[in-house]
Amino acid sequence: QVILRESGGGSVQAGGSLKLACTVSGPTFSNYRMGWFRQAPGQAREFIAAINYKGTTTDYADSVKGRFTISRDNANSTLFLQMDDLKPADTAVYYCDALTNSNGGRWPWGQGTQVTVSS
């Protein structure tokens, strides 16, 4: 059974920062490429960041490149997303997931964590 717990969201003003965390219970965390997704109201879930098994390679959607940083702690089965220079367009519920080769999600969604950025 996979359990994903996202945390760290909140309300910030534009230009602010937040750091999200996701703890994974069940599978062996270090066996999976991991990623972050987000879903804004009325929109489909959007892939935004990926990280490989050891944390040595990352990839980002153009919308967050240069502002967000994904990282992982395999010893504690935790995934992170440092978000800097936040914009109102970043307002969404953020989810973590293991990734397929095409950067789709593998597991049932967790509850997500809400990020709200005001102008």
Side-chain angles (χ1 to χ4, degrees), residues 5-53:
R5 292 195 175 92
E6 299 92 347
S7 62
S11 297
V12 297
Q13 291 190 326
S17 298
L18 286 171
K19 186 171 185 177
L20 307 184
C22 168
T23 58
V24 178
S25 300
T28 302
F29 180 72
S30 58
N31 287 350
Y32 294 90
R33 288 179 67 238
M34 294 296 298
W36 285 96
F37 297 79
R38 66 186 181 188
Q39 187 171 31
Q43 298 187 22
R45 192 167 81 151
E46 172 193 17
F47 162 81
I48 57 171
I51 190 166
N52 72 339
Y53 312 91

Side-chain angles (χ1 to χ4, degrees), residues 19-99:
K19 186 171 185 177
L20 307 184
C22 168
T23 58
V24 178
S25 300
T28 302
F29 180 72
S30 58
N31 287 350
Y32 294 90
R33 288 179 67 238
M34 294 296 298
W36 285 96
F37 297 79
R38 66 186 181 188
Q39 187 171 31
Q43 298 187 22
R45 192 167 81 151
E46 172 193 17
F47 162 81
I48 57 171
I51 190 166
N52 72 339
Y53 312 91
K54 293 185 177 181
T56 54
T57 302
T58 57
D59 188 27
Y60 299 93
D62 288 343
S63 57
V64 305
K65 196 172 294 183
R67 301 187 297 121
F68 290 11
T69 303
I70 188 172
S71 61
R72 66 191 296 163
D73 177 356
N74 284 345
N76 290 297
S77 299
T78 304
L79 183 72
F80 300 100
L81 186 69
Q82 175 67 45
M83 305 187 297
D84 297 316
D85 190 23
L86 283 160
K87 305 177 186 301
D90 295 319
T91 296
V93 179
Y94 284 70
Y95 301 90
C96 67
D97 205 339
L99 297 176

